[in-house]
Amino acid sequence: MNILIIGGGGREYSIGLALKKDNRVKKLYFSPGNGATDMLGENIPQNDFEKLADFAKSNKIDLTIVGPETPLVEGIVDVFKKHKLTIFGSSKKASQLEGSKRFMKNFLARQGIPTARYIETTEYEKACQFIDTLSEPIVVKADGLCAGKGVIIAKSKEEAKKVALDMLSGESFGSAGSVIVVEEFLNGYELSVFAICDGEDYKILPAVQDHKRLLDNDEGPNTGGMGTYAPTPLIDDILYQKIEERVVKPTLAGMKKEGNPFEGVLFIGLMIVKNEPIVLEYNVRFGDPECEVLMPLLKTPASELFYKAATRDLKSLKIEFYNKYAVAVVMASENYPYGNSKPSEIIIDKQMSKELEENTHVSFAGVSKEDDKLFATGGRVLLCIGVGDSIRQARDRAYELCGQIHFAGKKFRTDIAYQALKHD
Ligand code: AMP
Ligand code: GLY
């Protein structure tokens, strides 16, 4: 099978790595890929969907897998399907679950799926009236994609009104903020659940916990995610069942009923309040760095899972996972998440213990290659992933690998998985 992966981050690298282990996979392509994905396949620097579809046809691509949200929201799946190509991802319309918070909230309300009380509006006065009915803090969200920055938790009503005005006037997020959602603040703990969907059927993946803040003890600014582990013990069978019955099933049934059957990765961001799952948001793709811990736990060949999902055949698949744990630690560049950093060469120690060689690996993200040398180019540079029989063992292995990787300005959290280990 020839497979094209759209994207160029650690998420796409980890999907590539899982496919590489799969002997059904002949050749891998990445578009655009990064400085390290060309060790797994061939990079295709192309972002025009029609041209990519032409490429897929002329290179006999059997399956395309889309990593990031932007091409999904912009309709890459619709273009590929028009050309009768097999692609794993959500259609442009179904991607509105992530692309438009207004669409998402109204969908949740129509389907009776639990979510925070809200209004969506284009009018400042309406926003203010609703803000006055809520207790502080108050959540204000821009409707469109804002690279993870469009959600503001305002401490006071005055601040919420100012945020609403700045969004509606286009000052904060341009046109992405011309519609806003104002909602009540939920107090609980967050959990991400992923389901692979084919429009009809679904397979739920092990629950992952991300660490969004830059610094240890969940301090510092929000980031795209500084580390993950799976499966997390923060979820038990009863909660799992509630999530499946009250969220996953009604979401898929609702999307189908409304004419937008959901295919691809449904990523459900939940707040667990008094043991009840409440939907904060949907994403229509794997989380990054969540994907990097899910891929090494997948026992079912990755090509089979994604191909069956893309061809409405999930029903015939028995999905299996290794009875193990995985921990991923993100190594970021010096100025992340504030700005760019100077490129610096990445040196990986050549001497590695057998234990590390067998139970760890690197997933490359913000890297480029020059003269066969890898350079950190900014942002989240790479992830060290450890696999083990316990979270502690996986965590220790991931951190040991971190100690063997060097680049100027490297930084990482030292407490990934601390919530799970607290109970050890
Ligand atoms: P979202 O993109 O909607 O998931 O929001 C980003 C982050 O904002 C979430 O991961 C939560 O930490 C926080 N958040 C969003 N909505 C709420 C809410 N209603 N109550 C509390 N926190 C929220
Ligand atoms: N790690 C969170 C995300 O990918 O949205």
Side-chain angles (χ1 to χ4, degrees):
M1 207 187 264
N2 295 324
I3 300 185
L4 168 64
I5 299 173
I6 307 292
R11 168 179 48 207
E12 290 75 29
Y13 187 95
S14 73
I15 294 172
L17 214 53
L19 290 167
K20 203 71 195 163
K21 286 191 298 194
D22 181 342
N23 55 21
R24 267 172 276 218
V25 178
K26 212 160 71 197
K27 179 136 194 209
L28 282 180
Y29 297 90
F30 295 84
S31 179
N34 63 42
T37 51
D38 68 352
M39 298 188 284
L40 304 175
E42 190 179 325
N43 287 348
I44 310 296
Q46 177 60 265
N47 49 27
D48 181 282
F49 300 159
E50 289 287 345
K51 289 192 178 137
L52 273 171
D54 284 345
F55 174 86
K57 273 191 212 164
S58 45
N59 288 275
K60 301 199 166 38
I61 302 290
D62 302 288
L63 172 66
T64 298
I65 299 169
V66 189
E69 63 276 21
T70 305
L72 291 167
V73 170
E74 290 175 354
I76 190 169
V77 168
D78 308 60
V79 172
F80 271 54
K81 286 199 170 168
K82 185 182 78 191
H83 289 281
K84 307 254 177 303
L85 290 159
T86 303
I87 184 163
F88 176 68
S90 48
S91 68
K92 184 172 183 171
K93 272 190 154 170
S95 299
Q96 291 300 296
L97 280 183
E98 174 163 1
S100 164
K101 298 227 184 272
R102 164 161 72 169
F103 177 91
M104 177 234 349
K105 292 294 288 190
N106 291 342
F107 171 80
L108 288 165
R110 281 197 301 276
Q111 300 302 329
I113 299 169
T115 190
R117 207 155 59 82
Y118 76 104
I119 56 154
E120 47 98 352
T121 183
T122 54
E123 291 169 41
Y124 176 63
E125 282 70 31
K126 278 208 178 137
C128 290
Q129 276 167 18
F130 188 66
I131 287 168
D132 283 330
T133 68
L134 296 174
S135 43
E136 296 163 346
I138 290 160
V139 186
V140 186
K141 303 182 176 185
D143 176 57
L145 286 183
C146 302
K149 298 189 181 77
V151 175
I152 307 286
I153 299 182
K155 290 195 186 65
S156 65
K157 292 185 180 177
E158 290 65 44
E159 189 190 340
K161 288 176 187 173
K162 171 146 193 342
V163 169
L165 187 62
D166 288 349
M167 283 187 187
L168 288 170
S169 67
E171 198 161 304
S172 340
F173 300 108
S175 62
S178 60
V179 178
I180 59 169
V181 168
V182 179
E183 68 180 32
E184 66 175 333
F185 178 83
L186 298 172
N187 212 341
Y189 66 92
E190 280 183 62
L191 207 63
S192 310
V193 171
F194 293 88
I196 304 286
C197 308
D198 71 359
E200 288 276 341
D201 291 292
Y202 62 89
K203 304 284 173 192
I204 297 183
L205 306 184
V208 188
Q209 196 184 26
D210 189 10
H211 299 65
K212 287 262 168 74
R213 301 292 200 95
L214 181 70
L215 305 172
D216 284 3
N217 301 314
D218 296 322
E219 286 171 8
N222 260 324
T223 69
M226 293 300 290
T228 41
Y229 68 95
T232 168
L234 300 181
I235 182 165
D236 61 18
D237 287 347
I238 299 174
L239 187 54
Y240 238 116
Q241 215 168 349
K242 281 187 192 168
I243 294 169
E244 188 166 356
E245 293 302 324
R246 296 188 197 161
V247 183
V248 178
K249 283 186 182 170
T251 299
L252 294 181
M255 290 299 280
K256 193 175 157 202
K257 199 164 71 199
E258 295 186 4
N260 301 317
F262 190 88
E263 299 172 21
V265 182
L266 183 67
F267 167 173
I268 306 165
L270 296 160
M271 188 71 87
I272 310 298
V273 183
K274 299 193 184 106
N275 269 322
E276 297 299 320
I278 303 185
V279 176
L280 286 181
E281 64 163 350
Y282 294 107
N283 294 306
V284 297
R285 40 132 188 126
F286 275 118
D288 189 352
E290 286 91 337
C291 189
E292 288 91 326
V293 289
L294 289 169
M295 287 301 112
L297 296 175
L298 186 64
K299 192 169 174 189
T300 301
S303 67
E304 198 183 343
L305 173 62
F306 295 129
Y307 191 80
K308 290 205 164 185
T311 52
R312 256 194 207 188
D313 192 20
L314 272 185
K315 197 181 265 165
S316 73
L317 181 82
K318 184 172 177 294
I319 193 164
E320 286 185 291
F321 296 93
Y322 292 110
N323 192 15
K324 292 202 178 266
Y325 295 87
V327 173
V329 179
V330 170
M331 297 182 90
S333 53
E334 191 171 8
N335 299 325
Y336 181 72
Y338 305 105
N340 299 334
S341 307
K342 268 212 310 268
S344 55
E345 191 182 344
I346 301 170
I347 311 279
I348 303 180
D349 291 348
K350 290 216 167 57
Q351 293 289 343
M352 210 173 269
S353 67
K354 196 154 176 276
E355 181 188 343
L356 277 204
E357 247 168 42
E358 286 172 359
N359 297 289
T360 64
H361 62 270
V362 176
S363 209
F364 291 98
V367 299
S368 67
K369 198 189 242 169
E370 255 172 68
D371 300 332
D372 268 350
K373 288 182 184 154
L374 277 180
F375 286 82
T377 50
R380 293 181 292 173
V381 173
L382 56 85
L383 297 95
C384 292
I385 293 117
V387 175
D389 294 325
S390 65
I391 295 176
R392 187 173 297 278
Q393 190 182 48
R395 194 264 326 246
D396 290 348
R397 286 172 173 166
Y399 277 114
E400 212 180 312
L401 183 61
C402 288
Q404 301 208 271
I405 295 181
H406 317 277
F407 56 91
K410 77 170 185 185
K411 65 179 180 200
F412 54 93
R413 275 181 66 156
T414 63
D415 65 347
I416 299 304
Y418 78 95
Q419 289 189 47
L421 295 171
K422 249 190 332 216
H423 308 291
D424 247 18

